[in-house]
Amino acid sequence: MLKEAEQKIRNISNFPKEGIEFKDITPLLKDAKAFHDVIDALAQKFSSEKIDYVVAIESRGYLLGAPLAYKLGAGLVVVRKPGKLPAAVERVEYALEYGTDVLEIHKDAIEQGKRVLIIDDLLATGGTVAAACELVNRLGGKIVSAAFLIELSSLNGRQKLSSVAEVYSLFTY
Ligand code: AMP
């Protein structure tokens, strides 16, 4: 059943730049059964973990995080690019291949000890999710796991996250 969903992920070569093989999940999202199956599979994996908050990373993480939170009976917390959140924020800068990027979370988004599941569409080097973990840790949340639709194992994101979060991915390449 998940095999069919996996087949809906489309590879686009040289996007957004030369040498990148982009995993396009839009064909999966528009297929009602595939979308349903991947959300159900993620929800089933974490259904007994008493998740308080699903923390979703802008922007493709939102597409999975919102239905997953709903299904788990958890709240949804958004991690955003800089300058988008209106109230007081916690902010982290992290390294990219070239330069740096910033992620923010509302300071009051997570209370001490709450059980958190972090979600994004894809794990590559792990830099993005490591930054989101840093934000959750600063607020005192307890990271149960970081979950992904897709893991690109050759980029060693799982190792980078080994001291920070357990990693779960539905499809590994
Ligand atoms: P990283 O911080 O290196 O783990 O990169 C993860 C972030 O970049 C995720 O939010 C992904 O959406 C995006 N990303 C990185 N590589 C790809 C790829 N090959 N295809 C699609 N999205 C990617």
Side-chain angles (χ1 to χ4, degrees):
M1 128 192 144
L2 282 178
K3 203 76 217 150
E4 287 166 32
E6 185 174 12
Q7 284 163 0
K8 298 285 174 185
I9 298 168
R10 173 165 64 179
N11 293 313
I12 308 283
S13 297
N14 302 316
F15 181 89
K17 54 185 180 190
E18 202 63 30
I20 304 276
E21 174 104 326
F22 190 85
K23 298 284 184 194
D24 178 17
I25 63 168
T26 62
L28 184 158
L29 295 172
K30 81 162 191 177
D31 184 289
K33 184 171 187 307
F35 188 31
H36 185 270
D37 287 351
V38 298
I39 296 301
D40 272 10
L42 289 168
Q44 198 179 346
K45 167 73 184 169
F46 297 103
S47 61
S48 60
E49 292 282 3
K50 297 187 167 63
I51 302 296
D52 295 303
Y53 297 121
V54 172
V55 170
I57 303 176
E58 187 169 357
S59 57
R60 287 186 295 273
Y62 297 169
L63 304 172
L64 305 167
L68 184 57
Y70 182 87
K71 186 101 190 171
L72 286 172
L76 178 67
V77 169
V78 293
V79 164
R80 296 213 65 178
K81 306 276 170 61
K84 307 273 192 181
L85 288 169
V89 296
E90 197 66 55
R91 161 192 176 91
V92 66
E93 192 171 312
Y94 62 102
L96 297 174
E97 194 180 351
Y98 301 104
T100 61
D101 218 337
V102 172
L103 285 177
E104 294 179 345
I105 194 169
H106 272 148
K107 275 182 189 287
D108 62 357
I110 297 168
E111 301 80 19
Q112 193 75 30
K114 292 290 185 185
R115 293 173 63 76
V116 167
L117 172 63
I118 297 179
I119 179 101
D120 203 359
D121 65 325
L122 183 144
L123 174 63
T125 65
T128 307
V129 163
C133 287
E134 166 71 21
L135 291 173
V136 172
N137 284 331
R138 280 193 211 164
L139 300 185
K142 181 184 180 331
I143 300 168
V144 173
S145 185
F148 307 87
L149 218 49
I150 301 163
E151 176 178 354
L152 302 181
S153 56
S154 64
L155 295 174
N156 298 322
R158 188 177 278 265
Q159 285 86 322
K160 183 180 173 82
L161 295 173
S162 61
S163 61
V164 190
E166 280 204 26
V167 170
Y168 178 74
S169 49
L170 281 187
F171 308 123
T172 304
Y173 299 93

